[in-house]
Every structure is written in C-alpha cells, then in structure tokens.
Amino acid sequence: MSLAQRIAWLLIAVIVTAAALASWIVPASYDRQFRDEIQAPPSKAHPLGTDELGRDRLSRLLHGTQVSLLLAPAAAFLATLLAALAGTLAGWRGGWLDHALESVCDLTMSLPWMFLLLTVRAALPLDVAPMTSVAITFFLLGALGWAGPARVVRAGARALRDSDYMLMARAQGYRGWRLPVWHLLPGLRPVLTAQFWTSVPLFILAEANLSLLGLGVVEPMPSWGGLLKEMESLPAIGRNPWILAPAVVLLMTLASLYVLMGAKEEEA
Amino acid sequence: MRTRSLCPPPWRNRAGDSLMNSLLHLRISAGYTGRPAVLDGLDLSIERGEILALVGQSGSGKSSLALAALKLLGYKGGWVRGEVWFEGVDLMKLSERDMRCYRGRRISLVLQSPASSLNPWLKLGTQFREAWVAHRPEEASLWRCHAEEALEWVDLPADFLNRRPGQVSLGQAQRVLIAMAILHKPALLIADEPTSALDVITQAGILQLFARLNQQLKTAILYISHDLLSVASLAHRVAILEQGKVVDSGGVDEIFLYPAHPFTRRLIAALPNISWADSLGGLMKGLRVVDSEATMENGPAFAVKDPFAVKDPTVTASRPDLDSTIGIL
C-alpha cells in the first residue's frame, strides 16, 4: 500500500470516526443557539467558533458530515440498484427493451446533470421538514443518477450473456429466472461495486451543490453543502478563515475516495 | 407440497419413420447471419450406445453442429433449418420451453474450453445443484447425493463441490464438466473437442473416461474432434465433415485403413510421418474388431487393452511415441 493510500485511509477513518462520535466530541446539539456568542471566534468551548445564529460550528460540521456521508452512499446504493435492474434486464433480454433503455439513458445523460437535478428538485415542494428534505435529496440523487451506471451494467450483462458458461448453463436446461439470477448477477458484482464507489463522491458533490443553492437538506439540519453557504462572502473568509473547515473536510474526503478508487482500479 | 413436473413425458416415438428410429438424426442447414451457410444439407445419425466421431478441419462447422443439435446456435447469432430428430421427436418443432427439458437431461454438452465453461463466480456445488434442480425440482434435496455420484464417475472426490472453478486444474475442470453432463444420465453426450485444451496425459484420461461412460452407462457419444488419434482410439464410427457436409462415414477401420473420399485421404495423409501412418494402420488392423456390432458390444478399443501388446504381423515399426504424435496432430 502506497503512502498516499495510507494517508487516504487514515483521513477517511478520522472523518468517519469523528462523525460517528459527534455527540460525544461536541455535546451541544447542532441546532442549539448560544445567544450570547453570535459569530464568536474559536474558543475552548467552540473550537470552530459559532455561526450568525450562535450555533456551534464544530457540532454542525460533524453532524453535517454524518448526513452527507450517509446520504451519498445511500443514494449511490439506490442508483446502483436501479442500474442493476434496468441494465441487467436490457442486457439480458436485448431487443426493444434494450433499445428503449439505451434511448432513455442517452436522453438522461445528454442533459447537464446539475441542471436536471435543479429542475426536478425545484419542481418538488421546497417548504418541507428537514428529514423530508433529506429523503427527497436521497431519492432525487438515486433516481436521476442511475443512467450512467445502467449503461455500464448493460454492457457487462450482454458480455456475460454471450459467455461460454452461460451457454453451458443453457445447455444444462436452466430455466426461468434462475439463469439471470444465479448465473448472470454474480458475474456483475465487480461492475456494480465499481459503479457504487464511483457514484459516492459524485453524489457527495451533488448534495453539496443542491444544499448550497438551498434545494438540498434544509435548515436547521446541517450538511456539507449547507455549511458551505457561509463561504459566499469573500471578506467573511478573510475575517473568519475557520469557516473554510467544511470545504477542507469535503475536499479531504473526496481526494481520499479518489485515491482509494484509483488503487482499486489498478488492482483490478 | 407436491411440485408439478416441469417436463412432459416426451421420450416416446411419435412417428414410425425409420429415419426417426436413430437416437439422433440431423438433417440440417445452419449458419450465421450475413455469412454463407456453415452446414449445408448435413445428414448425420447416431445410434443408441454408439460413439460417433465427427472429424473435420477447423471452421468446417463441427462446433456449429453441436450447438445446432441442441438448438443453441441462436444464442451465438446463428440460425438452423431442417430436422433434428431425437428419440422420435423433431426438436426443431419444440418450443424453447419444451426444448429445455431435453437439454442437460437427455442430451448433454461438453465444450472444448473447460476454463470458460464453468461459472467462475459460483462454487462447483452450486452449479451442480442448479443443474440438478433444473430438471428435478421435486427432488431438489437429493442434488448432493447425485452430484457426488457423478463426481465419483469421473474420479473426483466429493470435496470438489466446495471448490470454485479457479481452484481446479484444466483437466479437473473438464472432468467436472463431464460429471455435470452425466448428472441426469443422458442418452446422448455431445463432446465438442473436449481434449483440445488438455495435455496429452490428461487427454488420455478423458478418453478413457468417455469409453467407460459409454460402456457402463450406455451413453451414446458424439465426439467432435480434429485429433485423428483420439478418434481412432475411441470411436465406433467416424463421419468426415467437409464444407458443411458429411462426405464420408464408416467404421474406424474402414475410414483409417481404406479411406474412400479424397478429403478423408488428405486427412489421413496429413499424419506427420508416412511410416508412422503405416504403423498406425497396422495397429488399427491388429487392434480393431472389424465387425462393428461386435465393437459396439465390446466397447471401444481404447478401453480394451494396451494396443502395443497386440501381436500383429503387419506392425513392423517400433513402438511410436504416442505423446509427441498427439501433440503434432
């Protein structure tokens, strides 16, 4: 394992552990307001200071990390699941189903991803409870992010469908759903795993973008995108450089994921 | 709960035509879309308990014939037209659903590449179980017992069921495929160049295995190969395929000692050493029982005895180096 991979693992471990132990590290809830300490600089009680509503920034960062780190893999799982269903069915059956899926994928992928995300999110109710906003963001990312992975899965399913071992399975008289389920799907596991891990950083960024624009996770629930809003004013960054902390954590997480994914690809 | 049998009881003669009384009778043309026909009006039959070797050059349509007989050529982008009579039923008229009842149960297939024919993601036991359940869902719990019996036939231990394809050698993988092929004790086993990927010692073992299966299980074997020596040692009858047609067929002695068709003569002449070919001819003469019925009765020569122990006045050459010759062929 290279030095970069070790550092990447260490960073991911630290970030995940800190997010998991958020309530223990910072006892203050992410929405508790310290009215006497509005926009306070870092101190022993508030290591990253407080925001304009007097809420502890570290608490919000750690709880926001929890939300973003759970939301992105969950959305990636949903997108991979949809891609597996659509791609396997199209690759396995071929014919009009395959052509239909190809057309839908082409159409979905020809639209700019962020534009599509913003349009669909804007069409949905915006004035919702924080947990509902999390659920909407999760479903939106998953439901709109399946097209790219589905094309890859479809190509894999087609290749496996024409393989010698599938021919042997047919020659043995396999019938019905057992052929695709028992023989095809296990062979697609590496493709699906790769698609899942490729989607995670994409969805982290997508969630951050949505929340930054006020279309993702809503206040007072924190997420990385929501926390990045504080960086909108350049003079504010100069005065309070610690508000860069969410951006630094986001960058470290993405960089670490890409380093680890690159290593995985090299192994494959 | 009683499970409905998935297959009708189809193995009865539905016609009295003599053509349909063979175990398998093919009258087909086949090919691939956009290319000339690979099999052009091919007419071939195989009797019950017989080992028929199909010999031809690479690209002559041998493998296409194997797939066409099972109506699997469509999965490789091909087409088949004609009649495939098996146990009195024209398989070409069967639906895909009914056809599945024959595949693996009455007709089995062994492909030439054992490494790619086993699903690398599944344990061998799982693959045996699926092959069993495909035809005997009502006896699903008995799969292990039958899988172990099939493995015993091919001289492999029962613990192979816990292995994955990546954990067995090529020769073992071919034995596993043969074990899966005989799981339901089929009437016909189609072996498409089953020894071409194997070393000579493993080849010899596989040929002995085929001979034993034929003798003891009475399974007819359509042995597809371009390896003349293995054909000579295993088959009861040989059919020569050239440009999609059977141009010559007959008993092994007839084909090897008195080749009639020019293409058959070219095949025999392609043996690397003429004195060697003489030796082989003498050998065949000494070893083979000329009466084909008697041959069928006694089983193939391969399983009978060491050919070089046979005293025959026509064999004048010293014992040839079989291993290197198989390699050259």
Coordinates of all heavy atoms in Angstrom, one line a residue, chain A residues 184-225:
Chain A
L184 N -26.0 -14.8 -14.0 CA -25.6 -13.5 -14.5 C -25.2 -12.6 -13.4 O -24.1 -12.0 -13.5 CB -26.7 -13.0 -15.4 CG -26.3 -11.8 -16.3 CD1 -25.6 -12.4 -17.5 CD2 -27.6 -11.1 -16.8
L185 N -26.1 -12.4 -12.5 CA -25.8 -11.4 -11.4 C -24.5 -11.5 -10.7 O -23.8 -10.5 -10.5 CB -27.0 -11.3 -10.5 CG -28.2 -10.4 -10.9 CD1 -29.3 -10.5 -9.9 CD2 -27.8 -9.0 -11.2
P186 N -24.1 -12.7 -10.3 CA -22.9 -12.8 -9.6 C -21.7 -12.3 -10.4 O -20.8 -11.7 -9.9 CB -22.7 -14.3 -9.3 CG -24.1 -14.9 -9.3 CD -24.8 -14.0 -10.3
G187 N -21.8 -12.5 -11.7 CA -20.7 -12.0 -12.6 C -20.7 -10.5 -12.7 O -19.7 -9.9 -13.1
L188 N -21.8 -9.9 -12.4 CA -21.9 -8.4 -12.5 C -21.4 -7.7 -11.2 O -21.4 -6.5 -11.1 CB -23.3 -8.0 -12.8 CG -23.8 -8.3 -14.2 CD1 -25.3 -8.0 -14.4 CD2 -23.0 -7.5 -15.3
R189 N -21.1 -8.5 -10.2 CA -20.8 -7.9 -8.9 C -19.6 -6.9 -9.0 O -19.7 -5.8 -8.4 CB -20.4 -9.0 -7.9 CG -20.7 -8.6 -6.4 CD -20.3 -9.7 -5.5 NE -21.0 -10.9 -5.7 CZ -20.5 -12.1 -5.5 NH1 -19.3 -12.3 -5.0 NH2 -21.2 -13.2 -5.8
P190 N -18.5 -7.2 -9.7 CA -17.4 -6.2 -9.7 C -17.9 -4.9 -10.4 O -17.5 -3.9 -10.0 CB -16.4 -6.9 -10.6 CG -16.7 -8.4 -10.6 CD -18.2 -8.5 -10.4
V191 N -18.7 -5.1 -11.5 CA -19.2 -3.9 -12.2 C -20.0 -3.0 -11.3 O -19.9 -1.8 -11.2 CB -20.0 -4.3 -13.4 CG1 -20.6 -3.1 -14.2 CG2 -19.1 -5.1 -14.4
L192 N -20.9 -3.7 -10.5 CA -21.8 -3.0 -9.6 C -21.1 -2.3 -8.5 O -21.4 -1.2 -8.1 CB -22.9 -3.9 -9.1 CG -23.9 -4.5 -10.1 CD1 -24.8 -5.6 -9.5 CD2 -24.7 -3.4 -10.7
T193 N -20.1 -3.0 -8.0 CA -19.3 -2.4 -6.9 C -18.6 -1.2 -7.4 O -18.5 -0.1 -6.7 CB -18.3 -3.5 -6.4 OG1 -19.0 -4.7 -6.1 CG2 -17.5 -3.0 -5.1
A194 N -18.0 -1.3 -8.6 CA -17.2 -0.1 -9.1 C -18.2 1.0 -9.3 O -17.8 2.2 -9.0 CB -16.6 -0.5 -10.4
Q195 N -19.4 0.8 -9.8 CA -20.3 1.8 -10.1 C -20.8 2.5 -8.8 O -21.0 3.7 -8.7 CB -21.6 1.3 -10.9 CG -21.3 0.9 -12.3 CD -20.6 2.1 -13.0 OE1 -21.1 3.2 -13.1 NE2 -19.5 1.8 -13.7
F196 N -20.9 1.7 -7.8 CA -21.3 2.2 -6.5 C -20.3 3.2 -6.0 O -20.6 4.4 -5.6 CB -21.5 1.1 -5.5 CG -21.7 1.6 -4.0 CD1 -23.0 2.0 -3.6 CD2 -20.7 1.6 -3.1 CE1 -23.2 2.5 -2.3 CE2 -20.9 2.0 -1.8 CZ -22.1 2.5 -1.4
W197 N -19.0 2.8 -6.0 CA -18.0 3.6 -5.4 C -17.7 4.8 -6.3 O -17.3 5.9 -5.8 CB -16.7 2.8 -5.2 CG -16.9 1.9 -4.0 CD1 -16.9 0.6 -3.9 CD2 -17.0 2.4 -2.6 NE1 -17.1 0.1 -2.6 CE2 -17.2 1.2 -1.8 CE3 -17.0 3.6 -2.0 CZ2 -17.3 1.3 -0.4 CZ3 -17.2 3.7 -0.6 CH2 -17.3 2.5 0.2
T198 N -17.9 4.7 -7.6 CA -17.8 5.9 -8.4 C -18.9 6.9 -8.2 O -18.6 8.1 -8.3 CB -17.8 5.5 -9.9 OG1 -17.0 4.3 -10.1 CG2 -17.4 6.5 -10.9
S199 N -20.0 6.4 -7.8 CA -21.2 7.3 -7.6 C -21.1 8.1 -6.3 O -21.6 9.2 -6.2 CB -22.5 6.6 -7.6 OG -22.7 5.9 -8.8
V200 N -20.4 7.5 -5.3 CA -20.4 8.1 -3.9 C -19.8 9.5 -4.0 O -20.5 10.5 -3.5 CB -19.7 7.2 -2.9 CG1 -19.4 8.0 -1.6 CG2 -20.5 6.0 -2.6
P201 N -18.6 9.8 -4.5 CA -18.1 11.1 -4.5 C -18.9 12.1 -5.4 O -19.1 13.3 -5.0 CB -16.7 11.0 -5.0 CG -16.5 9.7 -5.6 CD -17.6 8.8 -5.0
L202 N -19.5 11.5 -6.5 CA -20.3 12.4 -7.3 C -21.5 12.9 -6.6 O -21.9 14.0 -6.7 CB -20.8 11.5 -8.5 CG -19.8 11.3 -9.7 CD1 -20.5 10.5 -10.8 CD2 -19.5 12.7 -10.3
F203 N -22.1 12.0 -5.8 CA -23.3 12.3 -5.0 C -23.0 13.2 -3.8 O -23.8 14.0 -3.4 CB -24.1 11.1 -4.6 CG -24.8 10.3 -5.7 CD1 -25.3 9.1 -5.6 CD2 -24.8 10.9 -7.0 CE1 -25.9 8.4 -6.6 CE2 -25.4 10.3 -8.0 CZ -26.0 9.0 -7.9
I204 N -21.8 13.1 -3.3 CA -21.4 14.0 -2.2 C -21.4 15.4 -2.8 O -21.9 16.4 -2.2 CB -20.0 13.6 -1.7 CG1 -20.1 12.3 -0.8 CG2 -19.4 14.7 -0.8 CD1 -18.8 11.8 -0.3
L205 N -20.8 15.5 -4.0 CA -20.7 16.8 -4.6 C -22.1 17.4 -5.0 O -22.4 18.5 -4.8 CB -19.8 16.8 -5.9 CG -18.3 17.0 -5.7 CD1 -17.6 16.8 -7.0 CD2 -18.0 18.4 -5.1
A206 N -22.9 16.5 -5.5 CA -24.2 16.9 -6.0 C -25.1 17.4 -4.8 O -25.7 18.4 -4.9 CB -24.9 15.7 -6.7
E207 N -25.0 16.6 -3.7 CA -25.7 17.1 -2.5 C -25.2 18.4 -2.0 O -26.0 19.3 -1.6 CB -25.6 16.0 -1.4 CG -26.3 16.3 -0.1 CD -25.6 17.2 0.8 OE1 -24.4 17.2 0.9 OE2 -26.3 18.0 1.5
A208 N -23.9 18.6 -2.0 CA -23.3 19.9 -1.6 C -23.8 21.0 -2.5 O -24.2 22.1 -2.0 CB -21.8 19.8 -1.6
N209 N -23.8 20.8 -3.8 CA -24.3 21.8 -4.7 C -25.8 22.1 -4.5 O -26.2 23.3 -4.4 CB -24.2 21.3 -6.2 CG -22.8 21.5 -6.7 OD1 -22.2 22.6 -6.6 ND2 -22.2 20.5 -7.2
L210 N -26.6 21.1 -4.3 CA -28.0 21.3 -4.1 C -28.3 22.1 -2.8 O -29.0 23.1 -2.8 CB -28.8 20.0 -4.0 CG -29.3 19.3 -5.2 CD1 -30.0 18.0 -4.9 CD2 -30.2 20.2 -6.0
S211 N -27.6 21.7 -1.7 CA -27.8 22.3 -0.4 C -27.2 23.8 -0.5 O -27.8 24.7 0.2 CB -27.1 21.5 0.7 OG -27.7 20.3 0.7
L212 N -26.1 24.0 -1.2 CA -25.6 25.3 -1.3 C -26.6 26.2 -2.0 O -26.6 27.4 -1.6 CB -24.3 25.2 -2.2 CG -23.4 26.5 -2.4 CD1 -22.9 27.0 -1.0 CD2 -22.3 26.2 -3.3
L213 N -27.4 25.7 -2.9 CA -28.4 26.5 -3.6 C -29.7 26.5 -2.8 O -30.7 27.1 -3.3 CB -28.6 26.0 -5.0 CG -27.3 26.2 -5.9 CD1 -27.5 25.4 -7.2 CD2 -27.1 27.6 -6.2
G214 N -29.7 25.9 -1.7 CA -30.9 25.9 -0.9 C -32.0 24.9 -1.3 O -33.2 25.0 -1.0
L215 N -31.6 23.9 -2.2 CA -32.5 23.0 -2.7 C -32.3 21.6 -2.1 O -33.0 20.6 -2.5 CB -32.4 22.9 -4.2 CG -32.8 24.2 -5.0 CD1 -32.4 24.0 -6.4 CD2 -34.3 24.4 -4.8
G216 N -31.3 21.5 -1.2 CA -31.0 20.1 -0.7 C -31.6 20.0 0.7 O -32.8 20.2 0.9
V217 N -30.7 19.6 1.6 CA -31.1 19.5 3.0 C -31.4 20.9 3.6 O -30.6 21.8 3.5 CB -30.0 18.8 3.8 CG1 -30.4 18.6 5.3 CG2 -29.7 17.4 3.2
V218 N -32.6 21.0 4.3 CA -32.9 22.3 4.7 C -32.6 22.6 6.2 O -32.4 21.6 7.0 CB -34.5 22.6 4.5 CG1 -34.8 22.5 3.1 CG2 -35.3 21.6 5.4
E219 N -32.5 23.8 6.5 CA -32.2 24.3 7.9 C -33.2 23.8 8.9 O -34.4 23.6 8.5 CB -32.1 25.8 8.0 CG -30.9 26.4 7.3 CD -29.6 26.3 8.1 OE1 -29.7 26.0 9.3 OE2 -28.5 26.4 7.6
P220 N -32.9 23.5 10.1 CA -31.6 23.7 10.7 C -30.7 22.5 10.6 O -29.6 22.5 11.1 CB -32.0 23.9 12.2 CG -33.2 23.0 12.4 CD -33.9 23.1 11.1
M221 N -31.2 21.4 9.9 CA -30.3 20.2 9.7 C -29.1 20.6 8.9 O -29.2 21.2 7.8 CB -31.1 19.1 9.1 CG -30.2 17.8 9.1 SD -31.3 16.4 8.6 CE -31.9 16.0 10.1
P222 N -27.9 20.3 9.4 CA -26.7 20.7 8.6 C -26.3 19.6 7.6 O -26.6 18.5 7.8 CB -25.6 20.8 9.7 CG -26.0 19.8 10.7 CD -27.5 19.7 10.7
S223 N -25.6 20.1 6.5 CA -25.0 19.1 5.6 C -23.8 19.9 5.0 O -23.7 21.1 5.2 CB -25.9 18.7 4.5 OG -26.2 19.8 3.6
W224 N -22.9 19.2 4.3 CA -21.7 20.0 3.8 C -22.1 21.1 2.9 O -21.5 22.2 3.0 CB -20.8 19.0 3.1 CG -20.0 18.1 4.0 CD1 -19.8 18.4 5.4 CD2 -19.3 16.9 3.7 NE1 -19.0 17.4 5.9 CE2 -18.7 16.5 4.9 CE3 -19.1 16.2 2.6 CZ2 -17.9 15.3 5.0 CZ3 -18.3 15.0 2.6 CH2 -17.8 14.6 3.8
G225 N -23.1 20.9 2.1 CA -23.5 21.9 1.1 C -24.0 23.1 1.9 O -23.7 24.3 1.6

